Amino acid sequence: MAKIAFILLCHKDPDAIIKQAQSLTAVGDYMAIHFDARAPAAAYQAIRAALAGNPNVVFARKRVRCGWGEWSLVQATLLAVEAAVDAFPRATHFYMLSGDCMAIKSAEYAHDFLDRRECDYIESFDYFKSDWIKTGWKEERLIYRHWFNERTQKRAFYAMFEAQKRLGLTRPIPDDIEVMIGSQWWCLRRRTIEWVLDFVKRRRDVVRFFATTWIPDETFFQTLVRHLVPETEIESRTLTFLMFTDYGMPVVFYNDHYDLLLSQDFLFARKVSPLATELKRRLGVLYASEGARFQISNEGRSLFKFLTGRGRIGRRFAPRFWETESTLGRERELLIVVCKKWHVAKRLVDRIRQLTNVPCIEYLFNEEATPLPDLGGIQSTLGKRHRHRRALMRMLFDYYESDRLIVCMDPSNLDLLEDFCNDRALTRVLEVECQFSDSYLIGHAMRVGLAGERTPQETLNRLLPTIRNDMVHESDRIRDREFQNYTRMRELDAPEANAEPLARFLGVGQDKAHEIAATSYLFAD
């Protein structure tokens, strides 16, 4: 059975560290602690005194002063790892933690999880070929030497960098090393840890190289593990759940995140707020529990992206040249059916197609697989369709040899609606207002990745009002634009009432419009 030695790097809140160590070792696991030398000595002594009688806790043989982006973080990790290897011969796995991490599964579940597969869990992506680094320096982290801390010694840091760059003082990467990158929160087997420690002793040249790279905690272990362990024995992922905001800051978890955290396919989470005392208490009790069952839905990141995206409706800075200098044609009519329930809009345009013979195209700006004629490749991807929207529509008018064309759009495509309604062509918009039951909204959440089959009901209950309000907001935004030729038909209205806006939209008689509106299965889910 797996026995975990936790490698804890911490620098503050001694009371929380003491509780964390007591909780994680109470079930028979181990912990090696490195407490930052920058922190007060009194806080360190308080931790040592409180854990002195715990045989499952050990401390790094010396403390180093740690700084973000520095080699000191790797050095502190190696010191804690060495202490754990020496003190806990029965430890099978070594798991990196910070003082802000909390277990989000039981110890029983964590041990079973690690026993299932003989592998190391560490993000390990090709440094140069992957897109793990989204912005900023890439090769500059490696080929120049960095002796100063970018955050606390900014002037010296950049002065040294510019001097090396000006003088061409670059250096090669060790020939037999392929640099990898990934999260510093890993879980490695004992054999792998022993190989790493042996490699550190033998290859001082590699250690010297990484010691003057920038942010080596994202590259050192990731590179060595990939160098020492067969690829088939590496799972390139972290077992610690963490998210980042749009501003690159870690998302902080609070008391009301308990159910969400438990449903993620991870063993720990970072960062838990120091103020989330109830969350910490519940997670501490959970770690020591037996027989707990977890429904893994894993929708945390997509859910966070969705919720934080509300209210951040962007605008393109300027229209494309082909949008401002082209038109669909003054003599043409573009009829746009806007509906959130795509199946309803598809039934409607199918019925329109049967009774009017007007060419109808379904969600061409939303569905990649929408049937379209070959237009020379401009129709091949959603990205191209959006970028060349007016050119695409002109080509469709020409292809169908018609001056009237009907297309379907999602209410979220407000930028497209504004663009087409500002064209010289006559553009009409018909919004189809539908009712949304809870079951439909749950299905929608699953289709777009906000929920899964095992998402807890409590999470769904909190999510549904947000999704419902989001759909209402999309409709309100369209009405607020006050498009000149806007009409609306509603699921709650009788066919007689819906026939009138439909007749104006299509430019057909009342009888034909009523025949379309009276389609019996039109709004069925």
Side-chain angles (χ1 to χ4, degrees):
M1 180 179 176
K3 299 280 284 185
I4 307 171
F6 294 105
I7 308 302
L8 181 66
L9 299 192
C10 47
H11 64 281
K12 61 181 180 179
D13 201 350
D15 290 339
I17 293 168
I18 293 167
K19 291 178 182 178
Q20 186 180 26
Q22 292 171 338
S23 173
L24 295 179
T25 59
V27 295
D29 287 323
Y30 312 107
M31 179 174 286
I33 300 175
H34 178 275
F35 193 68
D36 195 337
R38 296 179 187 270
Y44 179 60
Q45 292 304 322
I47 296 171
R48 294 208 65 143
L51 300 175
N54 190 330
N56 287 5
V57 175
V58 69
F59 292 84
R61 59 181 173 83
K62 74 173 183 177
R63 298 165 63 202
V64 298
R65 297 169 63 87
C66 296
W68 186 88
E70 293 181 8
W71 170 254
S72 54
L73 287 174
V74 178
Q75 185 183 6
T77 304
L78 289 171
L79 289 168
V81 165
E82 290 171 353
V85 169
D86 293 339
F88 310 125
R90 296 180 59 196
T92 61
H93 293 77
F94 294 75
Y95 196 122
M96 268 287 294
L97 288 179
S98 75
D100 297 319
C101 296
M102 288 289 293
I104 57 174
K105 298 291 187 294
S106 64
E108 180 182 61
Y109 180 97
H111 295 153
D112 289 343
F113 182 95
L114 296 176
D115 282 336
R116 287 178 212 155
R117 185 178 174 194
E118 184 66 20
C119 69
D120 298 302
Y121 295 91
I122 181 170
E123 281 190 349
S124 182
F125 303 104
D126 188 285
Y127 187 90
F128 293 101
K129 295 179 182 178
S130 72
D131 63 347
W132 202 88
I133 299 176
K134 302 297 183 185
T135 59
W137 286 354
K138 198 163 193 176
E139 67 172 4
E140 291 89 347
R141 291 194 191 185
L142 306 178
I143 64 174
Y144 296 107
R145 299 164 180 83
H146 303 278
W147 291 286
F148 299 98
N149 186 289
E150 193 270 345
R151 292 191 173 181
T152 60
Q153 301 163 295
K154 191 176 293 288
R155 182 175 295 180
F157 179 88
Y158 286 107
M160 184 59 66
F161 167 73
E162 291 297 338
Q164 294 179 80
K165 186 177 178 181
R166 188 169 55 254
L167 297 172
L169 299 178
T170 60
R171 59 175 175 176
I173 297 170
D175 292 336
D176 59 338
I177 292 295
E178 182 179 358
V179 180
M180 312 298 286
I181 191 168
S183 168
Q184 64 269 50
W185 311 111
W186 40 255
C187 178
L188 304 177
R189 295 167 296 174
R190 184 181 194 91
R191 184 187 67 178
T192 302
I193 284 291
E194 290 173 345
W195 284 350
V196 168
L197 294 178
D198 180 65
F199 184 92
V200 168
K201 293 175 182 176
R202 289 187 294 104
R203 294 295 304 273
R204 302 307 298 174
D205 60 319
V206 175
V207 174
R208 284 193 298 271
F209 172 79
F210 279 103
T212 51
T213 59
W214 188 41
I215 322 181
D217 54 321
E218 293 179 351
T219 55
F220 181 74
F221 288 97
Q222 296 77 0
T223 300
L224 266 59
V225 170
R226 183 69 69 169
H227 182 75
L228 298 168
V229 178
E231 184 176 359
T232 55
E233 296 181 22
I234 299 174
E235 184 74 25
S236 187
R237 58 162 295 190
T238 175
L239 297 181
T240 299
F241 180 61
L242 66 162
M243 298 188 294
F244 291 90
T245 67
D246 294 344
Y247 305 103
M249 300 300 292
V251 173
V252 179
F253 300 109
Y254 295 93
N255 291 333
D256 57 349
H257 287 122
Y258 180 80
D259 291 323
L260 181 142
L261 292 176
L262 264 59
S263 64
Q264 306 313 304
D265 188 22
F266 297 86
L267 304 184
F268 281 75
R270 182 180 186 272
K271 293 181 165 184
V272 174
S273 169
L275 302 178
T277 54
E278 178 61 16
L279 176 61
K280 290 185 175 184
R281 184 195 65 80
R282 296 178 71 183
L283 292 177
V285 172
L286 176 69
Y287 191 72
S289 66
E290 295 182 359
R293 295 292 178 264
F294 300 91
Q295 298 294 323
I296 305 300
S297 54
N298 220 29
E299 78 289 347
R301 289 194 174 100
S302 58
L303 185 59
F304 176 78
K305 182 179 180 181
F306 169 75
L307 294 176
T308 55
R310 303 310 92 195
R312 296 186 182 183
I313 301 162
R315 293 285 187 273
R316 287 183 289 111
F317 289 104
R320 311 297 189 189
F321 73 90
W322 56 78
E323 296 171 351
T324 57
E325 299 178 4
S326 65
T327 176
L328 304 184
R330 292 182 183 275
E331 73 285 357
R332 288 171 168 167
E333 288 185 41
L334 178 62
L335 310 180
I336 304 175
V337 176
V338 179
C339 185
K340 196 66 180 180
K341 288 187 176 181
W342 294 3
H343 60 280
V344 173
K346 290 178 180 180
R347 289 174 189 155
L348 178 63
V349 298
D350 185 58
R351 188 64 172 149
I352 292 172
R353 187 187 295 113
Q354 295 172 11
L355 296 178
T356 67
N357 290 322
V358 177
C360 299
I361 303 173
E362 295 171 358
Y363 288 86
L364 74 165
F365 294 107
N366 304 101
E367 284 189 305
E368 194 95 58
T370 298
L372 289 171
D374 185 356
L375 302 174
I378 194 174
Q379 83 294 340
S380 59
T381 66
L382 287 177
K384 286 186 177 181
R385 296 176 202 172
H386 278 260
R387 287 195 301 273
H388 309 290
R389 59 189 70 168
R390 292 197 182 187
L392 173 65
M393 299 309 296
R394 288 200 310 273
M395 295 174 76
L396 288 171
F397 275 113
D398 293 339
Y399 177 84
Y400 287 108
E401 298 180 347
S402 172
D403 289 334
R404 304 188 80 207
L405 185 66
I406 298 176
V407 299
C408 299
M409 287 189 194
D410 190 90
S412 63
N413 296 135
L414 184 61
D415 60 330
L416 297 178
L417 289 173
E418 290 181 323
D419 193 10
F420 288 129
C421 286
N422 288 329
D423 191 82
R424 297 172 189 170
L426 176 61
T427 303
R428 303 183 190 275
V429 177
L430 173 69
E431 183 181 6
V432 183
E433 183 182 293
C434 300
Q435 298 300 300
F436 302 104
S437 65
D438 286 352
S439 59
Y440 174 84
L441 292 177
I442 291 173
H444 173 76
M446 291 180 178
R447 286 190 294 274
V448 299
L450 297 177
E453 294 290 342
R454 299 180 178 180
T455 298
Q457 187 61 43
E458 295 81 0
T459 300
L460 292 174
N461 291 341
R462 291 196 298 270
L463 179 61
L464 291 185
T466 303
I467 298 177
R468 192 184 302 278
N469 291 338
D470 190 60
M471 293 181 176
V472 172
H473 176 63
E474 288 179 345
S475 181
D476 286 342
R477 290 169 62 209
I478 293 174
R479 295 177 208 175
D480 289 342
R481 292 302 183 274
E482 297 181 347
F483 295 127
Q484 185 175 359
N485 297 297
Y486 168 86
T487 54
R488 178 164 58 110
M489 58 184 292
R490 304 170 64 227
E491 180 178 356
L492 294 179
D493 289 347
E496 293 76 15
N498 283 330
E500 182 178 345
L502 198 54
R504 281 188 281 127
F505 174 70
L506 295 173
V508 298
Q510 196 74 17
D511 291 343
K512 184 168 289 187
H514 183 273
E515 187 176 357
I516 297 171
T519 303
S520 59
Y521 53 86
L522 183 60
F523 291 99
D525 285 335

